[in-house]
Amino acid sequence: MAFIHGFHLRNLRGDIYGGLTAAVVALPLALAFGVASGVGPIAGLYGAVFVGFFAALLGGTPSQISGPTGPMTVVMAVIFLDYVDQPELAFTIIMMGGAFQILFSVLRLGSLISLVPYTVISGFMSGIGVIIIILQIGPLFGHAAPGGGVMGTFLGLPSIFADIKWDAAIVGLGVLAVVWLMPAKLNRILPSALVALVIGTLIVANYLPGVSILGEIPTGLPEIKLPQIDFSNLPGMVGWALILALLGSIDSLLTSLIADSVTCTHHISNRELIGQGIGNLVAGLFGGIPGAGATMRTLVNIRAGGATPLSGMLHALILLALVLGLGSLASHIPHTVLAGILVKVGIDIIDWGYLKRAARAPRAGVVIMFVVLGLTVFVDLIVAFATGMVVASLLLVKRMTDLQLDSVRAVIGDEDDLHFSAAEQAILSDYGDHIVLYHFAGPVSFGAAKGIAKRLVLDENHKILILDLTDVPMVDTTGAFAIDDVIVNARELGASIILAGANPSVLDILERLGVMDGISQGNAATHSVETRHAALEMAAHLIKE
């Protein structure tokens, strides 16, 4: 495997133009995300530089552009608010999040992260979009962002709307109109966010000196921020780091899938996690905010001709050059201009596609989505994600349980629900009054164990119980003990039990857990045969004895 996945120089011209275009698009967003995070605009640029460079250099998606994103910024804003008196711990959390992403890769979890239910992702992302919009309402209308995070801002909305600073509001809403309404063809040539940033800044600088601006921004290379651990805060730090790692990984891999569909290529999930993890680790080390694969910037890069990691690395190096000399210019950017850009980002993050289908979508999924959305906005991001995963998992177990129970079919006498062969049907016709056959289809797991035990019921006339496991791919521990309970109950009634068609893995579990011990009670015993036909022949033989 090449050191840089997908690297070659055959697309040099396209990569140069793609990297340049992506950098132009990333500049206003990096500044805006830095401000929104609470760390500062320069931290957004540092995040774009370091995450963008190392994710491209070491990642597994050649055309992907990485940097600060809306979801990662919202999480970082909450983290920075929690550790505002200990900012070094906030940057340590970023480094820990990067380390967790590297660990995910080492454990080969790249493909498993995609198993997060869509409804949870939808609710979480939509909630983050709503948070971004709420937090930017104050700056958009000329006010400093109220304290207290989302709830503080939400409760402060009446006072904001009662005292709108119209000079700032007109500029901010104008910026929002530009980024929203600029024609797509023109947007490909001149990114709308950059156009809005320049126009808005020039208007304020020349005509509206009373509108608040970013002010002095440090330039030059960042200082190293060595990791620090406060053991009294360690559980909370680990929790936030895991959220950053999970969200960054999901965000990046979803963008990788989009890049694959556009470029007709295939990314390497676990390698992408290494690149993202190292990028975030270095970003935290140098005072940058965390990032992930950025869908919009990636598509801009691809459309401009970028196809290899060279475009992503070039985009980061261009931003680094701007960092080293941009401070005096960026200091004049108004807060309301960045707020207008971020409101559009928040609107784009909301999953409008799912919301439009909510009336027709399965009710359980819609409930999960809205619960996660509400918890994300008004309670806590960790609680929202964890609650969504638990509820979605329990619903999945319930559905699987119902399917497993429906798959248990009882055959008594000469019934032919399972399309028996002529020989099998003959045995059932002759000895059906004494034989009960239960056919299982699909896995036998903990969810259906109790229900299975209740369904497998014998009476005193039944001498043989056949458990047909031909179509069972796996049995877990709880399922195995449920089968054992059925066997024990059948023996107490004096019936013999025959297991039919268990595959080697199923048989191994049953044997290791003692289900196949074959302890006899009188004439009752447990037998195992390879096929259902062999089980019916054995049953006929036992009845004749």
Side-chain angles (χ1 to χ4, degrees), residues 30 36 43 73 123 132-133 137 149 168 221 283 305 323 327 340 383 411 481 506:
T73 300
I132 291 175
I133 295 170
I137 290 177
L221 295 174
V323 167
V383 171
V411 178
F481 280 123
V506 170

Side-chain angles (χ1 to χ4, degrees), residues 306-331:
T308 82
L310 182 61
S311 59
M313 291 186 285
L314 181 61
H315 134 272
L317 293 175
I318 292 171
L319 290 177
L320 177 61
L322 294 173
V323 167
L324 298 178
L326 185 70
S328 59
L329 295 176
S331 63

Side-chain angles (χ1 to χ4, degrees), residues 140-164:
L140 184 68
F141 292 110
H143 292 268
V150 178
M151 283 305 298
T153 303
F154 189 75
L155 295 174
L157 290 181
S159 61
I160 291 174
F161 289 124
D163 184 27
I164 295 175

Side-chain angles (χ1 to χ4, degrees), residues 277-521:
I278 292 176
N280 280 308
L281 198 156
V282 176
L285 188 64
F286 286 101
I289 63 174
T295 303
M296 185 177 70
R297 277 157 275 174
T298 297
L299 291 176
V300 165
N301 175 51
I302 294 170
R303 288 168 182 160
T308 82
L310 182 61
S311 59
M313 291 186 285
L314 181 61
H315 134 272
L317 293 175
I318 292 171
L319 290 177
L320 177 61
L322 294 173
V323 167
L324 298 178
L326 185 70
S328 59
L329 295 176
S331 63
H332 297 288
I333 297 173
H335 285 102
T336 187
V337 169
L338 295 181
I341 293 171
L342 283 177
V343 167
K344 179 59 166 60
V345 171
I347 292 171
D348 288 342
I349 290 175
I350 295 174
D351 189 0
W352 298 107
Y354 186 81
L355 290 173
K356 291 176 181 177
R357 298 178 177 90
R360 305 190 306 274
R363 184 176 302 176
V366 174
V367 170
I368 290 174
M369 191 277 292
F370 278 110
V371 167
V372 173
L373 191 159
L375 291 175
T376 299
V377 175
F378 296 110
V379 181
D380 182 85
L381 283 83
I382 296 177
V383 171
F385 190 82
T387 301
M389 288 298 297
V390 169
V391 173
S393 298
L394 290 175
L395 287 175
L396 176 62
V397 170
K398 176 64 170 59
R399 294 190 190 103
M400 294 301 296
T401 297
D402 293 341
L403 290 173
Q404 289 175 32
L405 291 176
D406 289 343
S407 73
V408 180
R409 305 287 301 280
V411 178
I412 300 174
D414 58 356
E415 300 174 10
D416 188 12
D417 290 343
L418 299 173
H419 306 291
F420 293 118
S421 66
E424 292 170 339
Q425 188 65 53
I427 295 173
L428 284 171
S429 297
D430 293 340
Y431 303 101
D433 291 343
H434 303 293
I435 297 174
V436 176
L437 184 148
Y438 280 96
H439 175 81
F440 298 77
V444 179
S445 64
F446 67 93
K450 187 175 181 180
I452 287 172
K454 287 183 177 180
R455 289 195 177 193
L456 304 189
V457 179
L458 300 178
D459 61 38
E460 61 277 3
N461 295 323
H462 298 135
K463 297 180 180 179
I464 307 293
L465 171 63
I466 298 176
L467 301 178
D468 182 8
L469 307 180
T470 305
D471 297 322
V472 175
M474 61 80 64
V475 172
D476 68 6
T477 299
T478 310
F481 280 123
I483 292 174
D484 188 55
D485 289 341
V486 171
I487 291 173
V488 170
N489 292 334
R491 285 178 183 151
E492 290 177 352
L493 293 173
S496 294
I497 303 93
I498 305 174
L499 298 183
N503 67 47
S505 62
V506 170
L507 204 55
D508 178 62
I509 291 292
L510 297 179
E511 289 174 345
R512 285 161 57 188
L513 294 177
V515 179
M516 298 300 299
D517 285 350
I519 302 174
S520 297
Q521 296 180 359

